[in-house]
Amino acid sequence: MINNKTIFKTGVPEWLVIVSIFAVLLSSVLLFALSTADGMAAAGYYGATAADVQFSLLMFYAAVASFAVVERRFFARVVTKDYLLICIVLEILITYCCYHTREIGLIFALRFLQGIVNCGLTSISLNLLFNRLKSEHAKETGYTIFYGMILCVSPLTALFSVPIVENYEYNVVYKAMIFCFLPSAALLFSLLNRVHILPKTHLLKIDWLSFVLFATMLVLIAYVLIYGQQYDWLEDQTIVVAILAILLLFMVSVARQRSLKRPAVDLAIFKSRNFAIGIVFLVILYLIRGAFGLTSSYFISVLGMDSLHANEIMILNIAGVIAGSLIAIRFLTRQKHLRVLWISGFVCLFVFFVWMGQLFASEAGTVNFYLPLFLQGLGAGMVMSPIVMFIMSSVPDNMSQSAASVGVFVRFSTFSLSLAFINFFQLYFKGKHNDDLRGNLSLLDFNLPERLKIYQSALASRGMLRDEASKAAVGLLNKAVQKQTFLQFCVSYYDWVAVLCLFSILLIALQPVISRTVINLRNKQPAAAGF
């Protein structure tokens, strides 16, 4: 690693360096969830479905996860300042193209390219940040800060984009993103000297074929998990072909990595017991984390909040993430009681899901959700970065990049799987509860005619004709039924997730090896981190 004084220009204040790095890092994080910050607005603007909007998010994520296997060697070949300039120019050009297109297919391609460039920007920012942190546990602190930002990505992106979407066309968010990103990137660029942060390598050593194989496989995984429900899974030939292609690509990739002298992913990492334990808990955490999005959907769909108000409440969750991250840093720097930290975090998550299951109702005051939202953030902040660093510490230094690449792959796959679970179980539970609810409704029910009359009177009082009011009243009743079925789905799904949290707590209690593992990242270089 190059000496700190040669990386940035002489005389630049340390606070300005840190601010510029964090500004670029934050802009990179905001790009991740930009397409789903207001899913309904995005779907309406592009004439797409909710599945298309989710797929555009996963295209970005697939690019980050696949390019991570080769990004470090590419970074090492190019001068850091030149690499940053390349990323800045490409990011602006791609984002500008997103601003000027309404074709959802083109958006898929552009979001994938955006993910590749974003992987480079994140890698530059993390390497520069870790280079400035001089304490003994600098990397533990750096990773905790970064993953704390990742946990806050959805509400932060929504707070940034929703006011824009409410006042302008949806595509304006991309123009706003350019104006947000350009000043911070230009500032960081102006502060850097032309040096190599990483030891220089030759571009011919970059395993581009591994990247192509991984990228194709991840895109197909995203396609199957997002569109499988819509096409009835194995009833559709396209889904079947995609699954077969995934299996073939997986086998080819494994065989290829085993045959290479310098593989992009060293499969020897799976020989580590701790690595396998960490991956299991990473999968569980991302399944649990994926369920949290239903809380925002509940605020909007059931309580009738606007998107901005629903995400303003999430500031309490952000505060919880900050508090949980601070606690995690404290535990990590002391290098003990890691199992206590994990159990405490999952207990907070368990309490949140049980509590929210009791709070879900057709009408509720927002003040009732403040403490549960804080608890969710507290629990997530306490376990997210420690699990990632547990995985990194479980392998030798020379395999840390392979561990990071596998971790990104697992996070992508589990995040995609959580979206598929929510889509599937939402349809299942809504159908079940809808049938049960409608089965109890008939004209013989004493409350039904009365409810219809209330709707009719309310509509008639606003000037609607009696015949039209009668038809509209039935529509309002159907809407009320749909709201109740969604509410019941949220309760049922959160009950299942609470059980998963409880299972995780018991599993951690039975693994004393967790507390015996020392988190040590001093000799491990930061990788292009996934979200």
Side-chain angles (χ1 to χ4, degrees):
M1 178 98 37
I2 305 298
N3 190 292
N4 289 340
K5 294 181 180 179
T6 66
I7 296 176
F8 291 92
K9 292 181 178 178
T10 306
V12 177
E14 186 67 20
W15 65 266
L16 186 59
V17 171
I18 298 298
V19 167
S20 64
I21 294 173
F22 269 104
V24 172
L25 197 56
L26 180 60
S27 300
S28 301
V29 169
L30 289 177
L31 276 170
F32 171 66
L34 196 62
S35 58
T36 56
D38 195 326
M40 293 181 63
Y45 181 79
Y46 295 112
T49 64
D52 292 332
V53 176
Q54 289 180 339
F55 187 66
S56 69
L57 171 69
L58 292 184
M59 287 294 287
F60 183 100
Y61 205 160
V64 173
S66 56
F67 193 64
V69 300
V70 298
E71 189 279 334
R72 184 170 180 79
R73 290 186 180 178
F74 188 80
F75 185 7
R77 179 65 181 89
V78 185
V79 173
T80 302
K81 188 169 185 176
D82 296 345
Y83 189 30
L84 178 61
L85 180 61
I86 293 171
C87 291
I88 293 172
V89 173
L90 290 177
E91 195 73 89
I92 292 174
L93 288 176
I94 296 169
T95 307
Y96 187 72
C97 290
C98 289
Y99 169 70
H100 274 289
T101 184
R102 298 191 72 149
E103 297 294 330
I104 189 64
L106 186 56
I107 286 294
F108 292 157
L110 291 172
R111 287 290 285 171
F112 185 86
L113 294 175
Q114 209 171 44
I116 292 177
V117 178
N118 191 270
C119 184
L121 285 170
T122 304
S123 180
I124 294 170
S125 301
L126 285 178
N127 276 279
L128 291 176
L129 176 62
F130 289 5
N131 186 266
R132 308 308 292 182
L133 298 174
K134 303 179 179 64
S135 66
E136 182 182 359
H137 300 285
K139 289 178 181 174
E140 288 86 343
T141 303
Y143 269 118
T144 303
I145 292 172
F146 177 72
Y147 283 102
M149 293 174 64
I150 295 301
L151 290 172
C152 303
V153 62
S154 293
L156 286 175
T157 307
L159 290 171
F160 168 80
S161 62
V162 169
I164 298 172
V165 173
E166 289 181 349
N167 293 283
Y168 304 96
E169 290 274 16
Y170 176 80
N171 64 326
V172 176
V173 297
Y174 288 108
K175 180 187 285 188
M177 195 66 242
I178 293 175
F179 288 112
C180 177
F181 167 74
L182 185 56
S184 57
L187 174 62
L188 181 59
F189 177 80
S190 66
L191 300 180
L192 285 170
N193 286 316
R194 296 190 76 258
V195 295
H196 282 275
I197 292 183
L198 305 180
K200 188 176 179 180
T201 60
H202 201 281
L203 280 175
L204 294 177
K205 294 182 179 180
I206 297 179
D207 189 3
W208 293 107
L209 184 56
S210 291
F211 163 65
V212 173
L213 291 173
F214 289 149
T216 306
M217 181 173 62
L218 295 185
V219 169
L220 288 175
I221 289 174
Y223 177 82
V224 170
L225 292 178
I226 294 299
Y227 293 104
Q229 181 72 41
Q230 180 178 326
Y231 297 137
D232 294 325
W233 297 104
L234 298 180
E235 298 297 323
D236 183 78
Q237 186 176 359
T238 306
I239 298 297
V240 173
V241 171
I243 293 174
L244 293 176
I246 291 169
L247 295 175
L248 177 62
L249 288 168
F250 179 77
M251 290 187 292
V252 171
S253 297
V254 170
R256 188 169 186 280
Q257 296 306 311
R258 290 173 64 91
S259 65
L260 291 175
K261 183 178 180 181
R262 291 189 179 92
V265 178
D266 192 340
L267 300 180
I269 57 177
F270 290 99
K271 296 179 180 179
S272 169
R273 177 192 175 191
N274 284 8
F275 181 80
I277 292 174
I279 290 296
V280 168
F281 283 107
L282 189 63
V283 170
I284 292 173
L285 176 61
Y286 264 70
L287 289 176
I288 293 172
R289 184 190 172 213
F292 180 58
L294 287 179
T295 301
S296 296
S297 299
Y298 162 75
F299 289 155
I300 297 171
S301 301
V302 178
L303 298 186
M305 296 182 188
D306 59 85
S307 298
L308 183 59
H309 186 201
N311 285 282
E312 284 176 345
I313 297 176
M314 292 297 173
I315 293 176
L316 274 298
N317 183 255
I318 294 175
V321 169
I322 294 173
S325 298
L326 292 174
I327 294 173
I329 290 175
R330 179 61 177 168
F331 271 81
L332 292 171
T333 53
R334 294 177 65 187
Q335 295 188 339
K336 58 182 179 180
H337 304 308
L338 189 60
R339 189 163 56 156
V340 174
L341 178 65
W342 286 21
I343 290 177
S344 300
F346 278 104
V347 165
C348 290
L349 293 173
F350 171 75
V351 172
F352 165 77
F353 286 107
V354 172
W355 198 345
M356 284 298 296
Q358 302 298 318
L359 290 177
F360 281 139
S362 299
E363 297 180 358
T366 55
V367 68
N368 297 325
F369 300 101
Y370 290 169
L371 187 54
L373 289 176
F374 180 84
L375 274 178
Q376 198 281 339
L378 182 69
M382 290 170 69
V383 298
M384 178 69 170
S385 58
I387 288 178
V388 172
M389 285 182 275
F390 179 87
I391 293 172
M392 296 290 291
S393 297
S394 65
V395 298
D397 296 344
N398 62 336
M399 295 183 183
S400 60
Q401 291 301 308
S402 296
S405 298
V406 172
V408 176
F409 170 78
V410 169
R411 290 197 294 274
F412 166 83
S413 301
T414 311
F415 180 75
S416 304
L417 187 62
S418 70
L419 292 178
F421 276 161
I422 290 175
N423 292 338
F424 174 78
F425 284 110
Q426 183 171 355
L427 185 64
Y428 171 78
F429 281 121
K430 285 181 71 173
K432 181 178 182 299
H433 293 309
N434 195 43
D435 291 341
D436 293 342
L437 190 57
R438 289 182 183 276
N440 294 325
L441 290 176
S442 70
L443 291 176
L444 297 178
D445 293 326
F446 294 107
N447 292 331
L448 182 57
E450 182 180 347
R451 177 62 64 89
L452 288 173
K453 287 180 180 178
I454 293 174
Y455 288 152
Q456 291 173 9
S457 299
L459 294 170
S461 66
R462 298 191 177 188
M464 186 175 289
L465 297 176
R466 178 172 290 276
D467 291 342
E468 294 178 353
S470 178
K471 295 178 182 178
V474 176
L476 289 176
L477 180 63
N478 287 330
K479 187 175 181 180
V481 170
Q482 292 175 5
K483 183 183 290 188
Q484 286 298 318
T485 55
F486 177 76
L487 190 61
Q488 290 299 318
F489 154 67
C490 291
V491 173
S492 300
Y493 196 77
Y494 270 29
D495 286 344
W496 281 104
V497 177
V499 172
L500 182 59
C501 291
L502 186 60
F503 170 77
S504 304
I505 294 169
L506 295 175
L507 196 60
I508 295 169
L510 296 174
Q511 293 291 337
V513 69
I514 294 175
S515 283
R516 292 201 297 264
T517 301
V518 177
I519 302 298
N520 180 15
L521 302 178
R522 273 172 285 183
N523 297 322
K524 296 179 172 66
Q525 297 300 321
F531 296 87

